[in-house]
């Protein structure tokens, strides 16, 4: 059995960026989601670390998220990890591909 499933709960670091795929004109939206981890160190002091996640949502879901979300919104994103290669920089990174997005402060839900 295999499973590729990711859920992120965090805050948007900037407004969603709506883009178009070159060639076929399909739309997608890029979200920048910050998550934070906190812990007490050996001196009993609180420490924290922020991780930034690039999330991509396609077509109807991407359009709905781009039209509704704003910097600072508290969101839950449900999706999977996808590897991307960047030929220009000769590197590979992982990004989340969203299947669902939820705005946590409001009773709204978006599904593809």
């Amino acid at each position: 059995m295999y499973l590729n499933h990711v859920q992120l709960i965090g805050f948007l670091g900037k407004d969603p960026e709506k883009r178009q795929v070159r060639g076929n004109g399909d739309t997608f939206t890029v979200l920048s989601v910050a998550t934070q981890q906190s812990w007490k160190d050996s001196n009993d002091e609180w420490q924290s670390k922020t991780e930034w996640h690039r999330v991509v949502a396609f077509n109807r879901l991407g359009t709905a998220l781009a039209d509704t979300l704003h910097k600072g919104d508290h969101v839950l994103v449900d999706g999977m990890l996808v590897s991307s290669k960047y030929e220009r920089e000769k590197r590979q990174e992982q990004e989340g591909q969203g299947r669902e997005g939820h705005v946590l402060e409001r009773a709204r839900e978006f599904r593809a």
Side-chain angles (χ1 to χ4, degrees):
M1 180 167 79
Y2 301 98
L3 177 66
N4 182 352
H5 183 229
V6 175
Q7 283 190 330
L8 297 172
I9 297 176
F11 291 89
L12 291 185
K14 57 184 177 179
D15 286 338
E17 297 175 29
K18 191 171 177 182
R19 300 181 184 172
Q20 269 192 317
V21 176
R22 291 184 198 157
N24 66 7
D26 285 347
T27 61
F28 66 98
T29 298
V30 178
L31 305 175
S32 182
V33 179
T35 59
Q36 191 174 53
Q37 175 183 350
S38 299
W39 68 94
K40 280 193 174 182
D41 64 16
S42 58
N43 296 323
D44 210 30
E45 299 284 330
W46 280 104
Q47 303 293 322
S48 66
K49 180 180 182 187
T50 300
E51 295 283 344
W52 289 95
H53 308 275
R54 183 176 192 262
V55 177
V56 179
F58 291 92
N59 300 317
R60 288 188 357 223
L61 174 62
T63 299
L65 294 175
D67 292 345
T68 306
L69 296 178
H70 302 285
K71 178 181 177 178
D73 282 348
H74 195 201
V75 297
L76 179 149
V77 177
D78 186 275
M80 62 185 182
L81 287 178
V82 177
S83 297
S84 299
K85 289 185 178 182
Y86 297 91
E87 292 298 324
R88 191 175 339 140
E89 294 124 14
K90 300 232 184 248
R91 68 178 187 167
Q92 184 171 339
E93 42 180 70
Q94 296 234 307
E95 64 187 13
Q97 183 174 344
R99 287 189 290 250
E100 294 181 37
H102 305 266
V103 180
L104 296 181
E105 283 120 354
R106 301 177 207 118
R108 283 193 294 212
E109 185 174 303
F110 305 96
R111 290 182 186 259

